[in-house]
Amino acid sequence: MKELLRGIAGYFKVQHVLFLVPIGAFAVYDSVFSAFSSVLAVLWEMYPDVSRAGIQMILAVPSLASIPTTLLTGLLTSFVHKKTIAEVALVFLLVGGLFPVAIEEPHIGLLFASSALIGIGQGLLHPLASMLVCQYWESKSERSRVLGFKQAINYLGAAAVSLVVGWLALAQWNFAYLIYVGVVPVLVITAIRLPKGQLEERLINRGHLFSGMKKLLTPALAYACFMFCTVSLFNFAFQSNIAMLVNEKGFGDVVDIAAITAILQIASFAVGVLYGQITKLFRKYVLLPGLALLTAGFLTVACAPSMVVVLIGGTVFGIGAGIQYVTTLYNTSKAVDQSVVSMALSLVLALTSLGFSVSPIVIEGVKDLLFGPGAGADMSMVVAGAGCAVLFAIECVHCRFFARENYLDGPVPDDLID
């Protein structure tokens, strides 16, 4: 028994543990807007002249706006300290998040503008937490655990946020945006607890022309860009369709939708906590169970006869999403030389945001093509599930013929640690 308890304590013992406070806060507010999926059904009723895809784009605009700023973050880390970037990002989130609260019945254009400002902030913040983990944690084994812990904090915070957003929206839909008041303490924590961080290597310099680009543009990174951009395109169909599916089938209201999102996040939280063990178990095959569970989750929700089955499908989807997202960060950090890992993370996360942004257009287009314009949100889930199944087959081929074995004990070079 003592050995078991010692092993559990050892698993959670990591260096620089206090740095996880601001890093975890970044992770939570980087994904807060996904909780607004519970408000989409209400918005669709409020703005009947706007198409279904148009309403869904309110949720997708932050991902679209974050693409250039996510890429910019990777470049800025060579010139500006990460702490300064984080503070600017949080200001954008605060201003953009509180816009819709100031006006009782805002024009649809204001909601898009608010989403754009939130997206700019998210784009700056999105890669920072993972960059800091890759900088401060030495071994790959510890890094995989800390990336999991970071995402666990993200998912646990997002679960709480989903419930709060649902209750706020029940009082008045734009009250949901009051969740961004919480950015204020995050900004204070960042100012107090986060070190400045070191500047990253410049990709292009006079002494070594394009040497950084050669380190960056590896086949492993190219595959990561393709895989994670595509899987994000399918994954976003859950957030953008779950409210409409529940509404169309008469399973519940905005609070019930928020509960689904919260359960999804709690399932992903459990995965984050245990991700270090998951990578040890599956090694180079770690993405496969994630894709399989995503497929099963989509199809379960699509065929659900009741709210209980929707909750089960959401839980399965949450476990798969947790595995997939942390694997995105972990595999990217291993795909390139550590001196350019910040830019690699920015590139992959920017393409992930691109997948989110085009998801409503692509998924709705394919659904209408296959099932007709009158098909409901359940058919959108079927399309997304089929897409994840195709990616599962592609990853099987990649693991069998191209992927190298995943060893977790390789240290990060000392010059990356402050």
Side-chain angles (χ1 to χ4, degrees):
M1 189 63 171
K2 288 182 179 179
E3 290 297 325
L4 176 62
L5 293 175
R6 190 177 293 113
I8 293 173
Y11 179 77
F12 286 95
K13 185 179 180 180
V14 294
Q15 297 178 337
H16 316 300
V17 68
L18 290 179
F19 292 175
L20 275 174
V21 176
I23 288 173
F26 294 167
V28 170
Y29 265 97
D30 170 43
S31 60
V32 156
F33 203 68
S34 63
F36 282 66
S37 59
S38 59
V39 184
L40 290 186
V42 178
L43 290 177
W44 199 18
E45 295 175 359
M46 285 191 57
Y47 301 96
D49 296 333
V50 182
S51 68
R52 178 201 294 260
I55 293 296
Q56 291 173 332
M57 284 302 294
I58 292 174
L59 202 64
V61 163
S63 296
L64 184 63
S66 72
I67 294 171
T69 49
T70 298
L71 289 171
L72 183 63
T73 301
L75 296 173
L76 283 177
T77 54
S78 299
F79 303 93
V80 182
H81 290 290
K82 296 181 181 70
K83 180 175 182 176
T84 303
I85 297 173
E87 290 168 343
V88 171
L90 291 169
V91 170
F92 270 104
L93 287 176
L94 183 62
V95 174
L98 295 182
F99 257 1
V101 183
I103 303 175
E104 186 173 350
E105 295 184 6
H107 186 271
I108 189 71
L110 180 62
L111 296 183
F112 281 107
S114 169
S115 294
L117 288 174
I118 290 170
I120 292 171
Q122 287 183 177
L124 292 170
L125 205 60
H126 196 32
L128 276 181
S130 301
M131 288 178 186
L132 290 166
V133 170
C134 293
Q135 176 179 334
Y136 289 114
W137 278 271
E138 299 182 17
S139 71
K140 290 182 180 179
S141 175
E142 193 169 57
R143 184 188 305 169
S144 69
R145 282 187 290 138
V146 175
L147 283 172
F149 296 159
K150 176 188 75 72
Q151 286 308 116
I153 295 170
N154 180 357
Y155 294 131
L156 186 62
V161 164
S162 297
L163 294 174
V164 173
V165 165
W167 283 108
L168 288 172
L170 196 61
Q172 185 172 310
W173 72 267
N174 60 341
F175 283 5
Y177 286 85
L178 286 172
I179 199 70
Y180 282 96
V181 173
V183 170
V184 176
V186 176
L187 192 55
V188 173
I189 291 170
T190 301
I192 296 173
R193 296 299 317 168
L194 189 69
K196 282 188 175 181
Q198 67 184 45
L199 298 179
E200 300 290 336
E201 176 181 320
R202 297 185 184 182
L203 289 183
I204 301 175
N205 56 61
R206 293 180 180 178
H208 302 87
L209 187 62
F210 298 117
S211 62
M213 293 297 294
K214 291 179 181 178
K215 293 178 182 178
L216 179 68
L217 302 178
T218 65
L221 184 65
Y223 179 75
C225 288
F226 159 74
M227 178 58 69
F228 297 124
C229 175
T230 310
V231 76
S232 67
L233 184 152
F234 296 126
N235 279 5
F236 191 74
F238 192 95
Q239 283 84 7
S240 61
N241 283 281
I242 188 63
M244 295 177 184
L245 182 144
V246 171
N247 186 56
E248 288 170 1
K249 294 192 173 186
F251 288 161
D253 56 22
V254 66
V255 175
D256 297 302
I257 298 164
I260 296 171
T261 307
I263 288 174
L264 184 158
Q265 301 291 359
I266 291 170
S268 298
F269 160 76
V271 171
V273 170
L274 299 174
Y275 186 76
Q277 293 300 318
I278 293 172
T279 54
K280 287 183 178 180
L281 178 63
F282 291 100
R283 293 189 177 272
K284 68 178 181 179
Y285 301 101
V286 68
L287 187 58
L288 290 176
L291 292 172
L293 290 168
L294 287 173
T295 302
F298 271 123
L299 298 181
T300 300
V301 171
C303 301
S306 66
M307 188 65 176
V308 172
V309 180
V310 172
L311 292 172
I312 293 171
T315 302
V316 173
F317 177 88
I319 296 171
I323 295 174
Q324 175 265 311
Y325 188 74
V326 185
T327 302
T328 299
L329 304 175
Y330 181 60
N331 283 4
T332 301
S333 75
K334 299 190 292 101
V336 297
D337 186 273
Q338 293 302 311
S339 62
V340 293
V341 72
S342 292
M343 191 61 213
L345 286 166
S346 291
L347 181 60
V348 169
L349 292 176
L351 289 173
T352 299
S353 296
L354 177 63
F356 289 151
S357 302
V358 302
S359 177
I361 298 171
V362 174
I363 297 296
E364 290 299 307
V366 174
K367 181 201 71 175
D368 291 347
L369 181 65
L370 295 178
F371 304 107
D378 54 346
M379 291 299 100
S380 297
M381 296 286 194
V382 169
V383 170
C388 288
V390 171
L391 292 180
F392 177 87
I394 293 172
E395 178 65 6
C396 284
V397 174
H398 177 260
C399 289
R400 177 65 180 83
F401 297 104
F402 301 103
R404 293 180 297 177
E405 188 56 79
N406 179 16
Y407 295 102
L408 298 175
D409 55 356
V412 175
D414 292 337
D415 58 1
L416 288 180
I417 309 299
D418 277 356

